[in-house]
Amino acid sequence: MKTVLLSSIVIACTLLGARAFFYGEEEGNGVGTQKGQQEVPLVSQNFATKVITELNDRLNGSLVASYVYLSMAYWFDRADMALPGFHKYFLAASHKARNEAEAIMKYINKRGGYIRLKNLKSPITVWRDGLKAMEYALGMEKDLNKNMLKTHTVASNDPHVTHFLEDRFLETKVDVIKQLGEYVTRLKSFTKDYSLGEYILDKDLHD
């Protein structure tokens, strides 16, 4: 009886070890790991590792932006802030940034690459007022655009990637940067009564 039980345990452990080997799971906990991810030779073609790395950096940047925008959205949803227009604008921006990350992930899989997700650091949670949030968003979007242009340069020998970036991101980023710049200018123009300017912009953002 003990021999049969011992044999069953050995077989079970062997099967678990095989599953960990084939599926990239850590032995003993059944949890997957990113370390085992590789390109998919079945569909991958002329998809340079440096380009895959750049795209992973961009998707992680978009996830960080989504996280930051979500923090902004629910700061302005507080009862002591009561700026529904800012809440609506930043919540939509959060969803858009997340969709951008998902678009890059889908593209990487389409080309047979691999995805590397990074830990997200806790964003700022106190934004003081609409101007501070808009200025931060403007700087963040400019950084995202700069990095996207860098990826476009790195992928210059891969026309499929450059077309994807141009069609899905580059024009949109320029529009967002201009829009945020205009919002910052409007808020700064109310030097004598900032609260009035914030109220007016909030109303415009909500409509």
Side-chain angles (χ1 to χ4, degrees):
M1 183 66 179
K2 290 182 179 179
T3 303
V4 173
L5 180 60
L6 181 60
S7 298
S8 299
I9 293 173
V10 170
I11 292 172
C13 290
T14 301
L15 290 174
L16 287 172
R19 180 177 178 82
F21 176 80
F22 284 109
Y23 293 97
E25 295 179 349
E26 299 289 347
E27 291 188 32
N29 60 15
V31 178
T33 175
Q34 296 192 64
K35 294 180 181 178
Q37 283 203 45
Q38 302 291 335
E39 291 183 56
V40 183
L42 186 65
V43 295
S44 182
Q45 185 178 28
N46 299 325
F47 201 21
T49 301
K50 63 181 181 180
V51 175
I52 298 174
T53 299
E54 280 288 323
L55 289 173
N56 272 288
D57 287 343
R58 298 296 76 75
L59 80 85
N60 280 287
S62 293
L63 289 175
V64 170
S66 177
Y67 205 26
V68 171
Y69 280 134
L70 195 63
S71 171
M72 291 178 177
Y74 283 94
W75 170 257
F76 292 108
D77 187 52
R78 287 165 53 104
D80 56 353
M81 294 303 296
L83 292 169
F86 282 85
H87 167 73
K88 180 180 178 181
Y89 178 81
F90 288 126
L91 186 61
S94 176
H95 293 163
K96 183 178 179 181
R98 185 190 64 201
N99 289 339
E100 289 176 347
E102 291 178 356
I104 297 173
M105 294 170 79
K106 186 173 182 179
Y107 180 80
I108 291 173
N109 281 342
K110 182 178 180 179
R111 290 290 303 275
Y114 48 83
I115 293 168
R116 294 281 191 271
L117 295 178
K118 299 178 181 179
N119 293 330
L120 297 180
K121 294 181 180 180
S122 178
I124 296 172
T125 55
V126 178
W127 295 98
R128 192 179 67 201
D129 55 36
L131 177 59
K132 180 183 177 183
M134 287 293 182
E135 287 179 327
Y136 191 96
L138 176 58
M140 182 171 66
E141 289 293 343
K142 290 172 75 173
D143 285 340
L144 289 170
N145 187 54
K146 179 181 68 176
N147 290 331
M148 199 66 73
L149 290 171
K150 173 177 172 285
T151 300
H152 187 276
T153 300
V154 172
S156 58
N157 292 326
D158 191 331
H160 201 279
V161 174
T162 55
H163 173 73
F164 167 69
L165 296 176
E166 292 164 3
D167 183 61
R168 185 68 173 76
F169 299 101
L170 297 184
E171 187 67 29
T172 302
K173 287 297 179 189
V174 172
D175 291 338
V176 170
I177 289 170
K178 181 177 184 297
Q179 183 183 64
L180 287 168
E182 290 174 351
Y183 292 157
V184 169
T185 299
R186 285 180 58 178
L187 289 171
K188 283 186 173 181
S189 68
F190 284 83
T191 54
K192 294 183 179 181
D193 192 352
Y194 169 79
S195 296
L196 176 61
E198 189 175 65
Y199 169 79
I200 294 173
L201 180 57
D202 182 72
K203 190 174 184 303
D204 290 345
L205 293 172
H206 191 263
D207 293 340

